[in-house]
Structures are given as C-alpha cells and as structure tokens.
Amino acid sequence: KFKNILNYESFRLIHKQMIENNNYLKNINSMTNVFERETLISLFADKNYKDFVLLYLEKKYERIITIVKENKIDKPEINTLVSWSYYNIYNYSEALKYILRAEEQLPDDEKILRIKVSILCEKGTSENIIDLIEEAERIFLGIKSNKWDWMDLYSYGNILSGLKKYPDAILHYKKAIDIEPNEAMIWKNLSTCYYHENSHEKEIECLNKALELNENLIEALYSKGTTIGNIYHNYGEAISLLKKALIIAKDTYFEKKYLYYWLASFNKDIHKYRTA
C-alpha cells in the first residue's frame, strides 16, 4: 500500500537520501577505533537513533548526553554511545558508569568488555590508580576471544604502560604498528614509553611519525613540546609546538591547564616574565 506517488521528485529525494546516508557511513568507516565504529553503525541502522549518530559525528557529545538524560533512554547501545561521549570529553568516571550499565544489560558482550577495559585503563592512568589498571588487565586477559587485532594489542600496550611495564608495552605497541602503521595514537603512546625509558631520540622519532600522520594531534604536540623544552632546552620550538596545541585545543575538551603551565614555564626560562 503506497502512501505517496512515486514520481520524479520522489526518486530525487530517495537518491539524495542514499547519498547522504553513504556519506555518513563513509565518515563512520573512516574511524580507526573499531569498537566506536561498530557502536555507531548499529545505531545508524535504527532510524529512531540515527540523529544520535549525526550528533556524534559532529562531536556534539554534551548534546547527546543531555538528550539521553532528558528522555531517560536506557538501552545498551545508547548507554554505550553515552559512555563514548563522556570518554571523548575526558570524563572517565561518567564513561565508566554508563558502560557498566550497558554491561548489566548485555553481560556477555565482548565489545562492551573491551570498551570497559579502555575506560578503566584511562581512568587509572590519569588518576594514578593502579588498582583500576590491574582490573583492566584482569578483564582484558579474561575475554574469551583470543584473536587479537591491532586495537587489542594497542589496548594491552596501554595497560602495560599504565603499570609501568614499559619494555612489554613497547613490544605490544610495535606489534600493533605492524598491523596498523597509520594510527597516530599508537606512535604517540609508544613515544611515552621511550620517554620513561630515557630514550628521548626514539621518543621524538615516534612523535614526529605521529604528527606526520596527524599534524593536529594535541597529545603529540604537547608531548613533543614538553620534551623539546625540558630535555633539549629548545624553548623556542617548544613554545611554538605548545602554542599550536593550544589553538587546536580551544575547540576540544583537552585539559588546557597543562599547556598553559608549560608555556608559562618555558617563557620564564627565556626571561619573558610578563608573557609567563
């Protein structure tokens, strides 16, 4: 039973919708994080939640959170999306809360467990809570599937780095790079291990590779800037890198106080006290 006449205008609108949908799917498929990508694809297929995907692609994370809370939507896919939204604004406590809710609804979902691992690791590392990182390791190694892709190697590298097991972390990051050499964050996190191993030449090489892949990667700009300033005392280049990071950070949720701190410190070192 047709509701509308299938005429030229109808075909034009159908064609327009197909193009729009495929463009959205191309944007989703370009995401390197496979778990984030799978969450969005599953929601995009449901017309009731398609708008959430569009907001997510536009990085309107707080808007998603507000809508879900106001409408009291409590589905595992949506709770996972809200968890990702909090994760992307560095609120790991709330991200953990929502992924735990999704886990209660789908207790055997390995994708949810892997997301939980990432959040526990990030929260434990940022707040220096070793127990959380150890819990992340226990959960990760207990996941039944034993087929590791680059994301799994990368996640376990993050866990090992958080536990200060840098040689093992380096090994896993390198294995991840062998599979996915064009993911900037692997190179950046590998550089952190070399920093703690006092291998600063290797650290800078990794940061340069990360910035070659993504010139606007704030974490890499920040790490390179602080190392160039603190280790090599090249304050001019350090300040330049941190300034660039600060400009990019204005449109993100990155914690800007660290950028301001080191900009102040390095300006003080070159006697620009008023700027500092």
Side-chain angles (χ1 to χ4, degrees):
K1 295 180 179 179
F2 292 98
K3 293 183 178 179
N4 299 307
I5 297 171
L6 196 61
N7 55 21
Y8 176 81
E9 181 62 17
S10 302
F11 277 114
R12 192 188 68 79
L13 291 173
I14 291 168
H15 185 234
K16 181 173 178 287
Q17 188 64 57
M18 288 172 66
I19 292 172
E20 287 179 355
N21 286 346
N22 278 293
N23 281 333
Y24 290 132
L25 286 169
K26 279 170 67 178
N27 289 334
I28 294 169
N29 284 319
S30 68
M31 293 179 168
T32 52
N33 187 322
V34 64
F35 308 125
E36 187 180 21
R37 189 168 69 229
E38 287 176 359
T39 300
L40 293 178
I41 288 174
S42 66
L43 287 170
F44 191 79
D46 189 330
K47 64 180 181 180
N48 295 314
Y49 301 122
K50 183 177 173 182
D51 287 345
F52 284 115
V53 177
L54 305 188
L55 288 170
Y56 194 89
L57 290 172
E58 293 172 1
K59 299 184 179 181
K60 295 180 179 178
Y61 306 121
E62 291 178 325
R63 180 66 182 144
I64 292 170
I65 293 163
T66 301
I67 293 172
V68 170
K69 286 184 175 179
E70 286 178 350
N71 292 278
K72 297 180 180 178
I73 305 171
D74 190 22
K75 292 180 177 290
E77 300 87 354
I78 295 296
N79 287 329
T80 302
L81 188 71
V82 173
S83 179
W84 276 122
S85 298
Y86 274 119
Y87 183 90
N88 285 319
I89 61 175
Y90 305 98
N91 187 336
Y92 301 123
S93 295
E94 287 297 310
L96 183 59
K97 173 181 162 184
Y98 276 87
I99 205 63
L100 288 173
R101 189 177 294 177
E103 185 185 13
E104 286 177 5
Q105 295 163 326
L106 293 173
D108 298 321
D109 192 302
E110 290 187 0
K111 177 183 69 179
I112 289 174
L113 286 175
R114 281 175 160 86
I115 297 168
K116 180 182 174 183
V117 164
S118 295
I119 296 168
L120 284 169
C121 184
E122 291 286 356
K123 181 175 170 62
T125 302
S126 63
E127 299 176 17
N128 197 26
I129 304 173
I130 296 297
D131 288 350
L132 290 181
I133 307 173
E134 289 175 341
E135 183 184 353
E137 182 178 34
R138 179 184 58 77
I139 295 168
F140 185 79
L141 294 177
I143 294 173
K144 293 177 183 177
S145 174
N146 60 1
K147 184 180 178 182
W148 284 19
D149 61 14
W150 76 265
M151 273 292 296
D152 293 309
L153 291 162
Y154 170 69
S155 293
Y156 196 48
N158 290 341
I159 290 169
L160 292 166
S161 180
L163 294 172
K164 299 179 172 53
K165 298 177 180 179
Y166 300 117
D168 289 339
I170 289 169
L171 180 65
H172 282 79
Y173 285 140
K174 284 184 173 180
K175 287 181 178 179
I177 287 169
D178 286 340
I179 301 170
E180 182 49 77
N182 296 321
E183 176 50 49
M185 276 304 294
I186 310 177
W187 290 97
K188 187 272 156 192
N189 287 5
L190 176 58
S191 79
T192 301
C193 295
Y194 284 128
Y195 170 82
H196 289 292
E197 294 277 286
N198 292 315
S199 299
H200 297 297
E201 287 187 11
K202 289 183 179 179
E203 177 200 356
I204 295 298
E205 285 176 9
C206 290
L207 289 169
N208 286 339
K209 182 62 179 179
L211 290 169
E212 177 188 320
L213 293 167
N214 181 359
E215 64 180 1
N216 294 324
L217 186 62
I218 300 172
E219 293 87 350
L221 290 166
Y222 170 72
S223 294
K224 185 176 179 181
T226 52
T227 294
I228 289 291
N230 286 316
I231 304 300
Y232 294 100
H233 308 297
N234 186 342
Y235 300 118
E237 185 181 354
I239 289 169
S240 178
L241 288 163
L242 293 171
K243 278 184 175 179
K244 181 178 179 180
L246 188 59
I247 291 168
I248 299 165
K250 286 180 180 178
D251 296 322
T252 73
Y253 297 90
F254 188 82
E255 191 66 86
K256 301 171 190 67
K257 65 184 179 183
Y258 302 113
L259 295 170
Y260 283 119
Y261 172 81
W262 287 110
L263 278 167
S265 178
F266 295 148
N267 273 285
K268 177 182 70 66
D269 290 333
I270 58 174
H271 312 297
K272 290 188 175 181
Y273 300 117
R274 186 178 295 275
T275 304

